[in-house]
Amino acid sequence: MPVTTSSPEPAAITLPKTSESEQLLRIRHSMSHVMAMAVQKLFPQAQVTIGPWTESGFYYDFDSPDPFSEADLKAIKKEMVKIINRKLPLERLEVSRAEAERRIQAINEPYKLEILAGIKEPISLYTLGDQWWDLCAGPHVAHTGELNAKAFELESVAGAYWRGDETKAQLQRIYGTAWETPEQLAEHQRRKAEAKRRDHRRLGTDLNLFSIEDEAGAGLVFWHPRGARMRLLIEDFWRQAHFDAGYELLYTPHVADISLWKTSGHLDFYAESMFGPMQVDERQYQLKPMNCPFHVLTYASALRSYRELPIRWAELGTVYRYERPGVMHGLMRVRGFTQDDAHVFCLPEQITAEIVAILDLTEQILSTFDFRSYEINLSTRPAKSIGEDAVWELATNGLIGALERKGWAYKVDEGGGAFYGPKIDLKIEDAIGRMWQCSTIQLDFNLPERFQLEYVAADGSRQQPIMIHRAIFGSLERFFGIMTENYAGDFPFWLAPEQIRLLPVTDEVRGYAEEVLGQLKRAGVRATLDQSGERLAKLIRNGEQMKIPVLAVIGTTEAEGGSLSLRSRREGDLGTMAVAKLIEAASLANAARSAGLQP
RNA sequence: GCCCUUGUAGCUCAGUGGUAGAGCACUCCCUUGGUAAGGGAGAGGUCACGAGUUCAAAUCUCGUCAAGGGCUCCA
């Protein structure tokens, strides 16, 4: 029996990760051996390479002259079931290096030989029955009878490079998933289906939010009216939050003379991610992959006093980056996107306070979209870096001090910072437990140096300001995708492109419906009137499919009483409400950025 | 960029060498219907694009572009 698939409640079945379950680790290790044995039985020319477990299953990479197809997976699975049913023992054998070499050469497995060269004693291998063995550290189940033939599935074939190196041989990887029980497998598949249901690419099409057009090119986003309306709401909220936090806004060009990118260093260090330059008159121009040099130039446009600092400038800056073909993914990875970029220029002693303020603003903005669970990483000085020790120490301590003042737990990525400064990265957790990195705060000792930024200190000397880069959404496109998946397209009332749809039961009430529509719109509520003339059941179905937060049924009863019958996606049947009261509730909900109509 | 898979109507997909199809959506007509699909008719396609094979190509071959699953990359 499959587990319940329709229940919105947390699943009764918990799915342990491999790293949390010794038994699953054994199962998945063994499963990959069983798969490799099955593959070599069906494709004797396939050579084995590596086959580790993953958090939800396992894979094995093969070098095979025959490309594996989805159809082959069925045959492989069938063969695996046979092996499982034979209850073959898995036995650990410790051998000398010479013995291992001899055995590997006997079966002509060059990849295994390479692996052997890289491992230390003791060298162990696991036999699977008396026909097949693999170099492996284990652990494994005692015999294949411990594997549940009804609790595994082969999921996909993919290309993978030997040793993860794209200059090395391309191998064929088969991914599988394996569990202790069929119920766990069913739950795993339910979760996969749930992720698919939330896929922002699917929802983007279904809800008519955005598209990506072949004719325009890969990785370039077209925001449709519904998506654009949402983006505007997000941007408006973002701008207001920034003004409230003491930021000013900038608008800067999309292109600039290439010499700017020489000065900034991007031409040297970032060229492969940039669109090519364009010739205009006698000059070469470069489409911007980042906003920072523009903000730096704006800073440098006047002599700054220490009294002006901190200067906080933000911009919704659209940048273009060259992404290699094949890496684009919906809104998540694109070639043109808008960063919610900001740069803070401050005095060294202001670092901690500024970082705390940025963390506060980050929390305020992310929590408005119901992201309240974060994972934070602090990355410190790498081996190859610029800047003086004292500055690095001051800056790193500033970041630590801010995190501690905020009371946020964080992990330290020793040496993981950029060459130009330490940073804080923040990941958010979505409704189905996935983590996404959006926000980043980076200190930069490089650009102020390259552009010779300065301010006049109290003693009249010229000093270099501290520069902080930060983004909260990261990219508006990417954040929009993450947010859409987080809400599964069921956007909160304040953010929905179409908040209330009026559904007239008969043509007789059309006049009244139009009057109500006018009132709602004048009050700033995003309302529409369904003109299709279909029966009510159909109007409701269409409205629900478009995930409209509130459907308002209007029949003769409502028309006579000056009211509406409300059906809320989040809140259920809200009964009959007077028009004036609905306008008040909707306006309040918009002002408070509420999820629903009721407070 | 690499491997595998795919590209047919706005969406989901059928169509394996011989006149381009279905459901939903859209338009119109009938129906005036009270909480998740009423009925009928119509319109809509350079079968991603370009070459080739063939009497004949959506279908076979090659190339290009794009998408999907991965790998690599994302200082």
Side-chain angles (χ1 to χ4, degrees):
Chain A
M1 278 294 289
V3 294
T4 318
T5 55
S6 56
S7 167
E9 268 110 63
I13 309 247
T14 56
L15 289 184
K17 291 180 173 177
T18 309
S19 50
E20 298 161 356
S21 161
E22 171 79 16
Q23 182 57 13
L24 275 176
L25 188 143
R26 289 173 187 278
I27 287 172
R28 288 165 182 170
H29 242 148
S30 301
M31 224 20 127
S32 84
H33 282 207
V34 169
M35 179 167 78
M37 178 169 157
V39 166
Q40 289 196 308
K41 169 143 195 220
L42 296 171
F43 302 89
Q45 290 197 52
Q47 292 180 326
V48 290
T49 67
I50 53 160
W53 51 268
T54 66
E55 283 298 8
S56 65
F58 59 93
Y59 65 82
Y60 210 114
D61 289 347
F62 302 92
D63 190 348
S64 167
D66 319 285
F68 302 144
S69 69
E70 300 283 324
D72 294 329
L73 292 189
K74 277 191 190 143
I76 295 166
K77 187 184 173 189
K78 220 171 148 184
E79 193 60 38
M80 289 173 70
V81 172
K82 277 195 213 158
I83 295 168
I84 291 169
N85 289 339
R86 283 163 64 194
K87 297 190 183 4
L88 294 176
L90 285 119
E91 278 164 19
R92 182 185 171 94
L93 229 59
E94 267 188 35
V95 297
S96 68
R97 186 170 295 274
E99 165 70 2
E101 253 171 53
R102 192 190 61 72
R103 291 187 67 139
I104 293 169
Q105 263 154 0
I107 55 171
N108 187 31
E109 290 282 4
Y111 292 94
K112 281 288 162 203
L113 216 48
E114 206 177 319
I115 292 169
L116 179 66
I119 59 175
K120 287 188 203 132
E121 279 80 5
I123 291 160
S124 65
L125 49 86
Y126 276 81
T127 57
L128 178 49
D130 50 11
Q131 301 290 310
W132 202 86
W133 61 273
D134 195 4
L135 200 60
C136 183
H140 284 271
V141 295
H143 62 90
T144 59
E146 282 184 47
L147 303 174
N148 191 326
K150 291 190 172 135
F152 85 99
E153 198 58 68
L154 299 186
E155 297 187 304
S156 61
V157 275
Y161 298 105
W162 171 235
R163 299 252 146 120
D165 182 341
E166 64 179 314
T167 64
K168 299 223 165 90
Q170 176 97 37
L171 309 173
Q172 295 190 67
R173 176 172 298 177
I174 301 178
Y175 279 98
T177 185
W179 302 90
E180 290 181 68
T181 63
E183 288 73 23
Q184 284 182 344
L185 174 64
E187 173 61 14
H188 167 74
Q189 288 171 331
R190 190 195 66 81
R191 289 188 194 186
K192 270 180 53 174
E194 174 65 14
K196 200 171 172 191
R197 184 181 78 83
R198 288 168 176 266
D199 192 313
H200 73 284
R201 295 167 299 183
R202 174 85 260 139
L203 290 167
T205 303
D206 288 350
L207 304 183
N208 200 4
L209 302 173
F210 65 87
S211 65
I212 292 166
E213 301 293 331
D214 260 23
E215 283 176 86
L220 302 171
V221 179
F222 287 67
W223 293 78
H224 294 197
R226 299 174 80 89
R229 181 63 86 115
M230 294 179 67
R231 173 167 166 169
L232 182 69
L233 289 156
I234 296 168
E235 289 184 358
D236 283 348
F237 160 65
W238 181 92
R239 283 192 196 95
Q240 195 53 54
H242 279 71
F243 285 136
D244 293 348
Y247 285 76
E248 289 299 329
L249 293 188
L250 301 183
Y251 289 100
T252 63
H254 287 208
V255 295
D257 191 289
I258 201 153
S259 63
L260 178 65
W261 305 102
K262 279 187 187 135
T263 308
S264 70
H266 287 99
L267 220 49
D268 294 329
F269 300 113
Y270 205 73
E272 66 197 29
S273 297
M274 284 156 53
F275 276 60
M278 52 187 130
Q279 188 75 31
V280 182
D281 297 333
E282 299 302 303
R283 301 174 76 169
Q284 276 201 311
Y285 286 83
Q286 174 63 51
L287 200 50
K288 72 174 168 184
M290 292 191 185
N291 303 297
C292 4
F294 294 88
H295 292 201
V296 166
L297 280 191
T298 311
Y299 179 95
S301 68
L303 185 59
R304 309 287 171 183
S305 156
Y306 74 97
R307 295 172 190 274
E308 287 179 71
L309 305 184
I311 286 174
R312 307 185 191 96
W313 287 337
E315 176 178 13
L316 294 167
T318 302
V319 298
Y320 292 87
R321 295 185 183 173
Y322 174 74
E323 296 285 359
R324 295 163 87 185
V327 304
M328 263 73 75
H329 181 88
L331 296 180
M332 304 296 195
R333 186 89 177 263
V334 291
R335 282 179 169 165
F337 59 99
T338 301
Q339 292 183 304
D340 66 319
D341 212 352
H343 297 92
V344 176
F345 301 91
C346 65
L347 306 172
E349 59 267 33
Q350 292 171 331
I351 293 177
T352 302
E354 286 306 306
I355 303 291
V356 169
I358 289 168
L359 294 176
D360 284 343
L361 183 61
T362 301
E363 183 177 26
Q364 181 207 335
I365 289 178
L366 293 179
S367 64
T368 300
F369 298 93
D370 296 304
F371 293 112
R372 296 194 170 80
S373 173
Y374 314 124
E375 196 178 287
I376 293 152
N377 258 301
L378 171 73
S379 301
T380 61
R381 185 172 194 173
K384 268 181 78 177
S385 54
I386 59 150
E388 290 163 30
D389 293 352
V391 183
W392 273 90
E393 200 185 322
L394 180 80
T396 308
N397 287 339
L399 294 179
I400 292 169
L403 285 170
E404 275 166 10
R405 210 188 293 177
K406 195 77 186 137
W408 282 358
Y410 60 94
K411 278 189 218 144
V412 179
D413 180 5
E414 227 35 91
F419 73 91
Y420 51 75
K423 64 174 178 177
I424 293 173
D425 292 318
L426 186 146
K427 285 184 187 165
I428 54 181
E429 182 180 5
D430 76 6
I432 55 174
R434 298 173 299 185
M435 305 302 296
W436 304 90
Q437 196 204 308
C438 296
S439 314
T440 177
I441 305 168
Q442 306 198 357
L443 268 70
D444 186 346
F445 314 137
N446 183 45
L447 284 184
E449 180 64 31
R450 283 177 168 268
F451 284 89
Q452 295 292 297
L453 296 188
E454 52 185 30
Y455 62 89
V456 181
D459 63 3
S461 66
R462 302 293 174 100
Q463 303 291 334
Q464 197 170 82
I466 296 287
M467 181 177 182
I468 305 170
H469 304 256
R470 53 108 280 204
I472 293 171
F473 297 138
S475 138
L476 275 179
E477 283 75 5
R478 184 175 139 85
F479 183 79
F480 191 88
I482 293 166
M483 182 203 70
T484 298
E485 300 202 358
N486 184 50
Y487 287 129
D490 275 315
F491 298 114
F493 184 82
W494 76 273
L495 195 54
E498 184 181 350
Q499 299 182 291
I500 301 178
R501 184 179 285 186
L502 306 179
L503 310 180
V505 177
T506 71
D507 284 344
E508 280 169 46
V509 297
R510 186 144 306 219
Y512 170 73
E514 275 166 8
E515 193 189 312
V516 173
L517 177 69
Q519 288 180 48
L520 284 165
K521 284 176 136 179
R522 279 193 294 281
V525 180
R526 297 183 295 282
T528 59
L529 172 59
D530 193 320
Q531 302 274 15
S532 67
E534 295 281 352
R535 284 183 163 72
L536 181 62
K538 185 65 174 289
L539 302 188
I540 291 195
R541 183 181 154 85
N542 290 345
E544 292 289 356
Q545 282 188 330
M546 286 303 280
K547 304 179 188 279
I548 314 290
V550 175
L551 298 176
V553 176
I554 298 177
T556 45
T557 332
E558 288 81 6
E560 280 160 19
S563 67
L564 306 139
S565 280
L566 301 181
R567 178 187 160 115
S568 160
R569 255 181 96 74
R570 283 177 186 246
E571 302 151 297
D573 186 357
L574 295 181
T576 304
M577 193 182 281
V579 177
K581 191 149 176 257
L582 173 64
I583 289 176
E584 192 193 336
S587 302
L588 281 174
N590 278 340
R593 298 196 178 83
S594 304
L597 261 190
Q598 294 171 325

